[in-house]
Structure formats: C-alpha cells, structure tokens
Amino acid sequence: MKASEIRAKWLAFFESKGHHVEPSASLVPHNDPSLLWINAGMAPLKPYFDGRVKPDNPRIANSQKCIRTNDIENVGKTRRHHTFFEMLGNFSIGDYFKEEVITWAWEFLTSKEWIGFDPSLLYVTVHPDDEEAYRLWNEKIGVPADHIVKTEDNFWDIGEGPCGPCTEIFYDRGESYGDPNDPENYPSGENERYLEVWNLVFSQYNHNKDGSYTPLPNKNIDTGAGLERFASILQNVESNFDTDLFMPIIEETSRIAGIPYKSNPELDVAFKVIADHVRTVAFAVGDGVLPSNEGRGYVIRRLLRRAVRYGKMLGVERPFMVELVKTVGDVMGVYYPEVVEKREFIEKVIKNEEERFHETLTDGLAILSEMAAAAKKEGRSQISGPEAFKLYDTYGFPFDLTEDYASEHGLTVDREGFDASMQEQRDRARAARQESESMKVQGGPLAEFTTKSEFVGYNELVTNANVLAIILDDELVEEAAAGATVQVILDRTPFYAESGGQVSDNGTLTASDLKTVVTGVKKAPHGQHVHMVKVEAGTLRSGSTLEATVDRSEREELIKNHTATHLLHRALKDVLGEHVNQAGSLVESERLRFDFTQLGSIQPEELAEIERRVNEQIWKGTPVVIEQKSIDDAKAMGAMALFGEKYGDVVRVVQVGRYSIELCGGCHVSNTSEIGLFKLISESGIGSGVRRIEAVTGRHAYEYMEQQLDVLKQAAGLLKSNINDVPKRVEAMFAREKELARENESLNAKLSSIEAGQLTDQIRTIAGVSVLTAAVNANSMDALRTTADELKSKLPSAIVVLGAVHEDKVNFVVSVAPELVKQGFHAGKMIKEIAAVAGGGGGGRPDMAQAGGKNADKLQDALALVEQLVSSQAGV
C-alpha cells in the first residue's frame, strides 16, 4: 500500500466517524512563541486544547507535517529516526473519550477495508493505574492479557497544563527484527521488533502549578501515528527509508553519486541522511524559513550542511541537494502542493546555501589548521573538545573529519570534551523547550461563556448594544463601578478585535449615567469580541443597554493602511518576484509595517517602482469589492492566502480590481482613492531572508513629506542655495573636499620627507646594527608609514622604529632592512612587545609591522624598550 493511500485511508476513516479533516498547518507555529517548529499533530491545535478557541467541530483529524531535531545524530543509523515526518492524528475536544477512540483504533488497524493488520501481531501498553483502558482492550476489544503490557511510562505530561495516561499500539515485525535474548525485546522496550504505530493520549487531568493533578472539566483525546512506520509495515520493507516516501530520493542521490544504494553499510547511512534532510529543508523553505545563524534558520542551515558533508562521503564535491528538490515534490506533492508550487524558490535558496557552505568548508579547514599549529606550539598533542565542537557547531565539521585531519598532523582530539560540549548544548535546548512547552490551563469564565455576539463593525461604527457579560479579576460579575478595568462582551459590537495584523478599535461605551473607554478588543474562545474597558463614570451593569462607538478618525486612518498592505503585497510580487510572501504585518492608524520573504537586498530603483505601483492603484480610484466565497471558489479566483493563517469553508475575499485578491477578515476602504497617498519611510532586513517595509498613507504621508521638505529647506539655507540647486552645491563641496585632501596628503608627504631627513642624524648602533628610534608628528597611521618609508629609503640597512601620538592614543611602525631579516630580526615580534608597553597590540611581517596603543603617555617607555629587543634578537 502506497504511503499516499495510507494517508488517504486515515483521513477518510475518521471523516466517516464525523471528524473535520484539518489541512496540515505550516511547519512554522502561528501565534505560538513556545515552539520552534510544529513538532506533533496536536501542536497547531493547541488553542482548541487549552480552551482559547472552540472548534466548530470537536472531532478533528489531520496528517500534519512535523520537524523534530532532538535526535539528529540517530538519523540514518536507525530504521525510524527522522527530522521531518508526517504525524497522522485524530482528536476529540471534549467530545468522545477512551471507549470510542480505542474501538475506532482497533477497527482501523484490523479491518480489511482499511489497514488489515493481523490482530495477533498487535500489542498494546497501558498505564498501571488506567484500569478503564485495560478493561476496554481486554474485555471489549478482546486483546488477550499477554498482549497487554502495563508500564509507568504511559503517562503524557509536559508540565503545567492538560495531561493524562496513554495507550500505545505496537506491531510485531517478527523474530528476524529482534534478539530473543535482549532484555529490551518486548512492546515498549528499546528494540526493532515491536514497532510502535499509534499512541492514544487521554487528556483527563490538569497538571497544576503546585505539582498536583486535578480532573479537567473537558476531557480530550490526542492521538498520533507515524505515516512512515505504517508504510514500512504495509510495504514489507526493512526500514522507513526503504518505503516509497524515501526510495525515489535515495535512487536519485545514487544516480548523482554513481554509487549503488545498499552496497556499503556506511555509505547507506549517507544516503538516508541526505534523503531525510532534503525533505526537511525543502518543506521548511517552502514554509518561509531561510538558512541563517539563529532560530529555525540555523536548524535548516545545519541540516543542509550535514547533508552536504554526507554527500562528500559519497564522492559528490559539487552542490547536489538542489537537484533532489524535484524528486521531493514528485513524492510529496500529492498532499503538499507547496513543495511543487514553490520549487523554483526552494531550489534557489538551497543552491545559494550549498555554494556558500563549500566556501565555508575551506574556511573551516583554515581554522582547523591554525588550531593544530597552536596545539603544537603550546606543546599539546591534542585538539581540545571545545575547539572541535566549535568547528562542528560553527563550520559544520563532523567530529570524524576533525579527527582525521588531526591524525594526519600527529594529533588526537579530545572526544570526551567534545561530547561534554555537545551535551551542554542539548541541555540548554531541552531546558528552553521545557520552560516554554507547557500549555495553558483550561477553564475560566471566557472558556465557559457560549452566548453568541454579533460583529457589525464592517458597516457600522455606532450601535446600540446590550451587555452580556462583565468579567473582573477572571470572574463574572453583575456590575463594575467607576475606576474598575473589566472585560465586557456585548450582544452586538462595532469594535474590530485584533487579528490578521490589524490592531483593534478604540472608542467608548456610554449611557445616560455611564462613561467608559474601550482600550482594546480581543477574541474569546467561542469567537465573541471581548472589550477591555475602563469605567470612568457611573456604573456598568450586566444586561443594560448602551451605545458602542468606535473612534471614527482612527478607523478611517487604519483602513487606508490595511488596504495599502494588500496593494504593497502585490507590488512586491510584481517587482521582486512571486517568491515574495508575507511573513508578518502590523496595521495601525498612524502607519503600516509589512514583513516579507526576500533573498538579498532591494535596490533603490526597485523600491521606487514598488512605491509608484501602489500609488498608481490609488490614483486609479479602483473599487474595493468584499465578498463571502467558498474556499474552493476563492482559490479558483487566485486569492492569496496569508502565511500561517487558517481558513474555514467560507472565506472573506477582498478584491481590488484585477490587481489584488486576498483572503482577509480585516477592514478596508471602499475605493483606493480614499487612501490618498502612499509613501515608503523605511526598508531593512530583520533576519536572514526576511525584510521589512514601513510606510504611511493619507494625512500621515503628507506630514512625512512635509517633514522631509523642511529638512531639504534647512540644508538649502546652510548651503546658501535654493532647493533645486542643493545637489549641485553638495557635489561641489565633495569635489572641494577631495581636492583639499589631496593637497593635505601632498603637504604631509613633504613634511615627512623633511622630518625623515632631520631624523637620520639620530641613528645609533646597537649590537652592531644601525637603529633609529624616534617620536614623530603624524596625524594618522598612513602618515606614520609614509615617514617610515622615507627613512627606509635613506637608511637601507637599518631598523627603524617610530611612534606618534594622535587623539590620546599612540601608533607605532617598525621597519627592518631585508639583510637584517635574514639575520633573524623580526619587525612583527618586535612591535608586539613595544605596543604592549603602551597598552596595545599588533603585528606584521618580518620586514614591516604596525600597532596601536591606548596609553599615549607610555610612548617614550615603549621606544626605550627597542634597545633591549634588538639586543635580544641579535642574540647578545
């Protein structure tokens, strides 16, 4: 059975059980700073589990792409470790529980219509205290007692938040996969025979801050099954890597390398690592992650470089990962079209990174060479552990490559120290994960409040409304007096709740004896708009009627900026390329901020063209049409879906003529002419492959341009010119500055020559060598070197040491004649010790060296050391 068939059967089975099939979320967590990657099927569903959002259907199923890198060293060496994998899941948010999920799991696994496993080859594990799960397996399903294992490990708990026992299902692959004498050779043991295929988690407790456990008000089901493992069993192959998910990639790698797969066990590891890592990198780049030196980008860079190193083991010395992207798309594109649609961009990113790494390898070898030389100089026979780890972590050097190089130079490498450094990094990563992975506690008045509230703010900015609920200090109250800050839910509201980058509205809630200020609005778990309200006068009462009024001026400015972001998004794609995708935005009344994916910088002329295109759409006065459409119809229209957002079956389509079509729930102008003017105020890089544009519109754009004009007027005044002539006057000033600089250099050269002529009288003999030391006037290192060169020409067989004070610091130059270099005199070594006297350092060649020092008052002391240094190098 093909992997694509297994995935399709999973989704079809749970759809038949009333589940909503949730499409795979992006690998980049959306609005979840606690996760680096989506690492499990339930990760994108956390808002449902912790009660922040209530799903339309409490039964959910998915096939979720995931990344985990905590066991990266095992990838390719075991049958089933991966960095990228697909987790099949079914979930219940307060709906069905143990009996249903266990019954369905058995049906799916053993029914001929679905997977058709032999029941006698299935084993299950349960927590010792979970008698209900044991009874269901044994009495209802009929799993014999000798196929049920009780183990304390069967409890899912990641800290504060929902947790509970779990039951795991294992498939017996047969005696050929395990050693019968191995004490771990049993279901849930560390072995290859009993393969875990499905984990059913029963979230029935809350792990409290004090470490205690209490029953959850809503019990949930969270399950996960590995698609790759299912495929290995159903395709009857030795490992996950031998399935149709990996073999096409391995076969293409084999063709590139000219080496057959399964001809050498060590090389087979390389094939597997490359196949795994190229899937991870391709999918991550497709979801907007670009290689960098931090965060997700660092993970991708590390994986790609690791794959390139294994490519070298196969004899591939050129960029080759880029050639595997098409194969990844061929295998995975059936369910994940993004790796096909974004193939050109993914290939470009991977190719650039591969080429860069080949250069980095050369740099790494140079660093390793320096480390080896330093070790020998210090009398060490070993490269230290931290040094080897730096090479591994910074330059992508595997330990064995460092070890091989060291061996060639008669050195060893401290393996224990390397392992200790590696463990320190793992501990830091694990601590960071544990600190941030706990979920919020369920419950609270907002989680339980289900009365519907209507948003009317697309068309109304003032409306009468009834107060449905008042929440003070996380408790429902009947009223709130002046001075209180509370959360309020209305039966209808014109206030937009913060979402999609657009900030919430501000305004007031008023009645005859009541005055309040609305300072922000967010969405409750059941979708109602929750108003943050400060009661300024009177008493706010539940059930009362009041007037809800949005600050009209702020809203009118805000909608100009929001529609402008849509125009900007399209203009960026038109000018820079379709690879540009939104990576974040902020829409306020004063300005807009737009983050987007882009490799490399943007040229000034490109920015000018982007700005011109946006303004062109504004000047055209195009109507902005907003319609509700089915998601399929919207996609057929070519509507852009924003990165990381989730959409229902019916979506809101915002269309600006034929120029821009996006799915958006925000507020917009009715005609582009209302925006008035669009002006870019800044463009910058905010991370590897992500850039940011800030802009203003309407009144704020006019004010910005007026400020710029004022600056230009001030410049014209200082230049005693009119505005139009400012560029010419500035050019003339630059030309005059260059001319003066040339004159200054010429005069300094003449002064240096004169001073050099006067200094030749001060030459003396030390240890039989002609030596000149002097403190001179030189306002830069260049000027000091010029004087030294003059003296060098006048004293061709001498050592010249000069020092000069400039701005409370001191510069030094040492020149040694060629014939004296042959005798063992070394300018670089000499200047290092001279500069040290003045609190500085430097170095250089044997014939010429320069240095600087912090303590200008030590100049004479430093020059006094020359006699001793010359005598020492002369061997006197």
Side-chain angles (χ1 to χ4, degrees):
M1 191 183 296
K2 292 181 179 179
S4 58
E5 294 178 83
I6 299 168
R7 187 195 297 117
K9 281 180 177 286
W10 178 280
L11 299 176
F13 175 81
F14 283 105
E15 200 165 25
S16 73
K17 304 298 183 185
H19 289 64
H20 166 70
V21 174
E22 187 96 0
S24 177
S26 165
L27 287 165
V28 179
H30 181 57
N31 290 334
D32 187 354
S34 70
L35 291 178
L36 190 65
W37 300 103
I38 291 298
N39 58 9
M42 63 76 62
L45 309 180
K46 279 169 65 173
Y48 299 150
F49 279 89
D50 62 29
R52 280 175 285 163
V53 178
K54 294 296 179 182
D56 294 333
N57 185 341
R59 299 183 179 189
I60 300 170
N62 67 4
S63 180
Q64 174 64 46
K65 52 188 177 184
C66 304
I67 288 180
R68 291 182 189 175
T69 57
N70 49 314
D71 290 320
I72 188 173
E73 288 79 15
N74 292 325
V75 173
K77 298 176 183 177
T78 70
R79 289 183 169 96
R80 58 183 184 272
H81 275 97
H82 304 293
T83 55
F84 174 89
F85 61 96
E86 286 182 77
M87 186 173 284
L88 306 170
N90 64 288
F91 311 90
S92 166
I93 314 299
D95 187 45
Y96 62 81
F97 203 50
K98 293 182 186 179
E99 182 170 1
E100 292 90 341
V101 74
I102 287 174
T103 303
W104 291 338
W106 192 256
E107 178 186 353
F108 180 74
L109 292 176
T110 61
S111 170
K112 297 296 183 185
E113 179 186 355
W114 301 105
I115 297 300
F117 283 157
D118 180 351
S120 68
L121 297 179
L122 295 177
Y123 290 75
V124 299
T125 59
V126 298
H127 190 270
D129 296 334
D130 194 353
E131 292 298 330
E132 181 184 4
Y134 182 92
R135 179 177 50 77
L136 287 167
W137 281 121
N138 183 237
E139 298 177 13
K140 182 172 184 319
I141 304 301
V143 176
D146 61 356
H147 278 225
I148 304 175
V149 178
K150 293 184 177 182
T151 169
E152 294 283 349
D153 292 336
N154 276 38
F155 196 91
W156 186 83
D157 189 351
I158 57 170
E160 184 185 347
C163 61
C166 61
T167 183
E168 297 170 316
I169 306 170
F170 292 82
Y171 182 87
D172 182 2
R173 303 212 68 185
E175 293 181 1
S176 62
Y177 282 85
D179 179 359
N181 298 317
D182 182 358
E184 288 286 324
N185 193 33
Y186 61 89
S188 84
E190 289 294 326
N191 65 83
E192 298 290 350
R193 174 173 176 173
Y194 298 98
L195 184 63
E196 180 197 333
V197 294
W198 203 341
N199 184 15
L200 317 178
V201 178
F202 313 128
S203 293
Q204 61 189 89
Y205 302 111
N206 194 72
H207 186 159
N208 302 312
K209 287 183 179 180
D210 61 4
S212 62
Y213 294 84
T214 52
L216 285 173
N218 296 311
K219 295 177 172 58
N220 303 317
I221 290 293
D222 162 22
T223 87
L227 175 63
E228 296 80 6
R229 297 188 182 193
F230 267 123
S232 69
I233 298 170
L234 292 168
Q235 294 173 19
N236 194 28
V237 291
E238 184 179 332
S239 76
N240 294 359
F241 293 97
D242 299 301
T243 67
D244 64 343
L245 289 166
F246 292 90
M247 280 307 299
I249 305 171
I250 290 174
E251 288 165 355
E252 180 62 14
T253 308
S254 173
R255 184 195 66 75
I256 292 170
I259 297 174
Y261 178 52
K262 293 199 171 177
S263 62
N264 180 316
E266 289 187 11
L267 296 184
D268 286 350
V269 171
F271 281 115
K272 293 172 183 177
V273 168
I274 291 166
D276 173 89
H277 288 8
V278 74
R279 294 197 333 153
T280 311
V281 173
F283 270 88
V285 172
D287 279 349
V289 179
L290 300 178
S292 68
N293 287 326
E294 59 186 14
R296 300 180 187 95
Y298 174 71
V299 173
I300 297 309
R301 173 164 286 168
R302 182 182 174 202
L303 291 176
L304 195 146
R305 292 182 171 189
R306 193 167 187 264
V308 169
R309 295 200 314 266
Y310 275 97
K312 286 181 174 290
M313 289 178 59
L314 298 175
V316 184
E317 296 292 338
R318 60 175 175 79
F320 73 98
M321 293 276 283
V322 62
E323 298 176 39
L324 300 175
V325 175
K326 179 182 182 301
T327 308
V328 173
D330 292 343
V331 174
M332 306 296 288
V334 176
Y335 192 71
Y336 302 101
E338 62 268 26
V339 290
V340 177
E341 295 167 356
K342 300 179 181 179
R343 174 185 156 193
E344 184 179 346
F345 177 65
I346 295 169
E347 287 178 338
K348 181 179 179 181
V349 172
I350 290 178
K351 185 173 186 290
N352 287 347
E353 187 66 17
E354 279 193 273
E355 290 174 345
R356 181 175 177 179
F357 181 47
H358 279 277
E359 297 172 3
T360 301
L361 276 175
T362 303
D363 295 339
L365 281 171
I367 298 294
L368 181 53
S369 176
E370 291 177 7
M371 288 179 177
K376 288 181 177 180
K377 183 178 179 181
E378 295 166 13
R380 291 188 285 121
S381 61
Q382 192 176 61
I383 300 287
S384 73
E387 286 176 323
F389 181 74
K390 178 184 177 183
L391 284 166
Y392 169 80
D393 197 43
T394 306
Y395 295 97
F397 262 60
F399 182 84
D400 53 3
L401 182 60
T402 303
E403 205 167 35
D404 290 345
Y405 182 91
S407 178
E408 291 170 6
H409 291 76
L411 300 169
T412 60
V413 186
D414 177 13
R415 178 80 211 205
E416 289 186 5
F418 174 84
D419 289 342
S421 295
M422 180 75 82
Q423 189 60 48
E424 285 176 13
Q425 187 189 65
R426 287 184 187 135
D427 291 343
R428 286 193 298 270
R430 186 178 299 112
R433 286 197 302 270
Q434 289 174 347
E435 184 177 322
S436 64
E437 279 186 352
S438 63
M439 292 164 58
K440 294 182 179 179
V441 180
Q442 287 181 331
L446 288 176
E448 305 302 322
F449 194 83
T450 58
T451 306
K452 292 189 178 299
S453 173
E454 180 186 7
F455 173 62
V456 298
Y458 290 133
N459 303 309
E460 300 178 43
L461 296 186
V462 181
T463 188
N464 289 327
N466 296 319
V467 179
L468 296 178
I470 303 171
I471 300 164
L472 176 63
D473 296 333
D474 209 30
E475 290 186 7
L476 281 170
V477 296
E478 288 300 311
E479 59 182 40
T485 299
V486 294
Q487 295 172 301
V488 177
I489 298 177
L490 306 174
D491 64 342
R492 61 198 318 267
T493 178
F495 289 89
Y496 183 84
E498 178 183 336
S499 62
Q502 179 179 325
V503 300
S504 63
D505 290 319
N506 295 320
T508 60
L509 302 178
T510 58
S512 59
D513 60 345
L514 173 71
K515 182 182 178 182
T516 74
V517 176
V518 177
T519 59
V521 188
K522 295 184 180 295
K523 287 185 179 179
H526 291 277
Q528 307 97 331
H529 289 204
V530 181
H531 308 73
M532 271 55 76
V533 174
K534 173 69 180 296
V535 182
E536 292 192 338
T539 301
L540 177 65
R541 292 182 174 85
S542 182
S544 62
T545 301
L546 42 72
E547 185 176 82
T549 305
V550 170
D551 185 317
R552 182 179 293 274
S553 63
E554 281 195 10
R555 170 70 82 85
E556 288 176 349
E557 300 288 353
L558 187 149
I559 60 177
K560 294 174 185 177
N561 286 333
H562 201 155
T563 305
T565 63
H566 286 218
L567 299 178
L568 174 61
H569 195 180
R570 183 67 258 170
L572 286 164
K573 284 181 175 287
D574 289 346
V575 175
L576 303 178
E578 287 295 328
H579 66 273
V580 169
N581 283 303
Q582 181 173 332
S585 70
L586 176 67
V587 179
E588 299 178 316
S589 58
E590 295 86 4
R591 64 177 180 131
L592 67 91
R593 188 181 74 209
F594 193 83
D595 300 340
F596 57 98
T597 55
Q598 163 68 8
L599 289 173
S601 59
I602 303 175
Q603 299 305 310
E605 56 271 22
E606 290 175 320
L607 287 172
E609 177 62 14
I610 290 164
E611 184 178 88
R612 187 194 69 76
R613 286 176 180 248
V614 174
N615 279 305
E616 187 177 70
Q617 294 302 316
I618 294 170
W619 301 330
K620 283 182 176 180
T622 307
V624 178
V625 178
I626 301 175
E627 298 176 297
Q628 298 287 335
K629 298 274 187 181
S630 72
I631 186 69
D632 292 334
D633 287 346
K635 288 179 178 177
M637 292 171 64
M640 280 193 290
L642 297 188
F643 178 75
E645 292 285 353
K646 290 187 178 183
Y647 300 96
D649 295 331
V650 178
V651 293
R652 190 167 180 265
V653 181
V654 177
Q655 185 171 1
V656 184
R658 295 183 178 180
Y659 189 72
S660 168
I661 309 176
E662 290 195 25
L663 306 184
C664 180
C667 303
H668 293 272
V669 298
S670 59
N671 188 292
T672 57
S673 63
E674 296 172 34
I675 300 172
L677 181 65
F678 174 86
K679 190 66 186 171
L680 293 175
I681 58 174
S682 71
E683 188 277 329
S684 61
I686 59 170
S688 180
V690 180
R691 303 195 71 80
R692 170 173 291 173
I693 278 178
E694 295 194 39
V696 286
T697 63
R699 174 172 62 87
H700 297 285
Y702 168 77
E703 291 173 352
Y704 172 77
M705 294 185 72
E706 280 295 299
Q707 290 170 2
Q708 298 300 298
L709 187 58
D710 284 343
V711 171
L712 186 56
K713 288 177 179 177
Q714 290 177 33
L718 292 171
L719 292 168
K720 295 182 172 57
S721 165
N722 62 54
I723 288 176
N724 293 330
D725 290 339
V726 166
K728 291 180 182 178
R729 292 299 302 270
V730 171
E731 286 178 3
M733 288 183 66
F734 280 139
R736 179 58 178 155
E737 183 185 19
K738 287 181 181 179
E739 184 181 344
L740 290 172
R742 284 194 296 270
E743 291 178 5
N744 191 44
E745 286 177 11
S746 176
L747 290 171
N748 280 333
K750 290 177 182 178
L751 288 171
S752 295
S753 179
I754 294 170
E755 189 168 17
Q758 295 172 342
L759 289 172
T760 54
D761 297 340
Q762 300 179 27
I763 195 166
R764 54 196 173 123
T765 301
I766 301 172
V769 177
S770 296
V771 179
L772 172 62
T773 63
V776 299
N777 293 315
N779 60 7
S780 68
M781 182 62 80
D782 287 341
L784 190 62
R785 278 199 306 269
T786 299
T787 303
D789 288 340
E790 287 284 343
L791 287 166
K792 189 176 177 182
S793 64
K794 297 178 185 297
L795 304 170
S797 302
I799 294 175
V800 176
V801 182
L802 303 179
V805 174
H806 179 62
E807 295 181 350
D808 297 325
K809 294 182 181 179
V810 62
N811 292 325
F812 296 100
V813 169
V814 175
S815 171
V816 178
E819 63 187 65
L820 296 177
V821 170
K822 293 177 183 178
Q823 295 176 28
F825 293 95
H826 195 292
K829 294 178 181 178
M830 194 177 296
I831 205 165
K832 187 175 181 180
E833 296 192 46
I834 292 170
V837 175
R845 305 187 309 271
D847 63 324
M848 175 65 79
Q850 65 184 48
K854 302 175 192 173
N855 303 323
D857 57 349
K858 294 289 185 180
L859 171 59
Q860 293 301 330
D861 293 343
L863 293 177
L865 184 63
V866 172
E867 182 174 349
Q868 178 184 333
L869 294 174
V870 171
S871 298
S872 175
Q873 289 192 11
V876 176

